Amino acid sequence: MVFLREFVGGLIYGYIIARIAMLLLPRLGESDAAIASVTVSLSYLSFLVADRYWHVSGVVSVVMAALTVAAYGPTHLHPRQWAALRQLWAQLEFWANCLIFVLASMVAANVLLNITWLYVWGVAVVTVGAFLARGLVVFGMLPVLEKTHLVQPVDKRYKAIWCGVACAAPSRSCSPWWPR
C-alpha cells in the first residue's frame, strides 16, 4: 500500500507542478535562458519537494513532470523556443551520461580488484538469459502475434537483425547504469 501511495502521489505531484510550469513558460517572453532555468528548476524541485516534503516518489514525480512538459511544450511554446529547449536537454543528457561513465570508471578499479568467479558466472547467466528472452520474443511471441493479426507482419531479415542487435546489449545491462 505504501508503494502505491508513493507511486500515485509522485504521478499526481509531477503532473501538477509541470502544469504550473507550463502556465508560466509562455509568459516568460522570448527569453530562452528563463525557459531553460524554469525547466531545470522544475526537475530539481519536483524531486526534492516530492521526496522530502510530500513523502512520495521523487523519481516518479520527475518522470511525470518531464512527460507532461514533453506533451504540452510543443503547443505552449513557440517552435523556436521548443527547439532550443530540446537542444538544451539533449546537451544536459549528454553531459550526464559522460559524468556517469567518469564516475563509474572511478569505481571500476576497486570493483575489478575484488572480482570473483561468482561475478563472471553472474554476467554469463544474464547474457544467456537475455539471448533466450530475446529469441523467445522474436521467434516465439512475434509469430503468434502476427498470425492473430495483433501486429503487422515483420520481414524475417529485420527479425534477425533486431535479435542480433538486441542481444549485443546484455553486457551493457550488467553495468550499474544503463545510459539509454
Side-chain angles (χ1 to χ4, degrees):
M1 194 63 176
V2 172
F3 170 77
L4 185 63
R5 182 187 61 80
E6 289 185 4
F7 184 80
V8 172
L11 288 175
I12 292 169
Y13 180 72
Y15 180 78
I16 290 170
I17 195 167
R19 289 295 289 153
I20 292 168
M22 290 312 302
L23 292 174
L24 178 67
L25 289 181
R27 291 168 175 72
L28 296 176
E30 294 295 317
S31 176
D32 291 342
I35 291 171
S37 298
V38 168
T39 58
V40 170
S41 300
L42 171 67
S43 63
Y44 181 71
L45 288 175
S46 178
F47 179 84
L48 184 70
V49 173
D51 192 59
R52 298 290 178 202
Y53 298 107
W54 289 103
H55 305 292
V56 296
S57 176
V59 173
V60 172
S61 175
V62 171
V63 169
M64 187 61 187
L67 290 172
T68 304
V69 169
Y72 289 99
T75 59
H76 283 66
L77 295 174
H78 187 274
R80 184 194 56 76
Q81 292 174 319
W82 181 245
L85 187 61
R86 287 182 51 125
Q87 185 178 7
L88 167 82
W89 278 100
Q91 185 67 43
L92 290 175
E93 176 189 5
F94 173 76
W95 287 343
N97 282 334
C98 290
L99 180 63
I100 287 166
F101 280 110
V102 167
L103 294 174
S105 68
M106 292 168 57
V107 174
N110 290 336
V111 171
L112 290 175
L113 291 174
N114 297 325
I115 199 163
T116 65
W117 283 106
L118 181 63
Y119 294 120
V120 174
W121 281 108
V123 170
V125 166
V126 168
T127 303
V128 169
F131 272 103
L132 291 174
R134 300 242 169 62
L136 178 67
V137 168
V138 172
F139 301 111
M141 285 179 53
L142 196 55
V144 171
L145 293 173
E146 287 173 347
K147 291 217 187 296
T148 58
H149 302 290
L150 293 173
V151 298
Q152 293 181 356
V154 179
D155 189 1
K156 290 183 182 182
R157 293 175 297 171
Y158 295 116
K159 291 179 188 177
I161 291 171
W162 181 83
C163 189
V165 170
C167 289
S171 60
R172 288 178 59 196
S173 65
C174 295
S175 66
W177 178 260
W178 186 316
R180 273 190 155 244

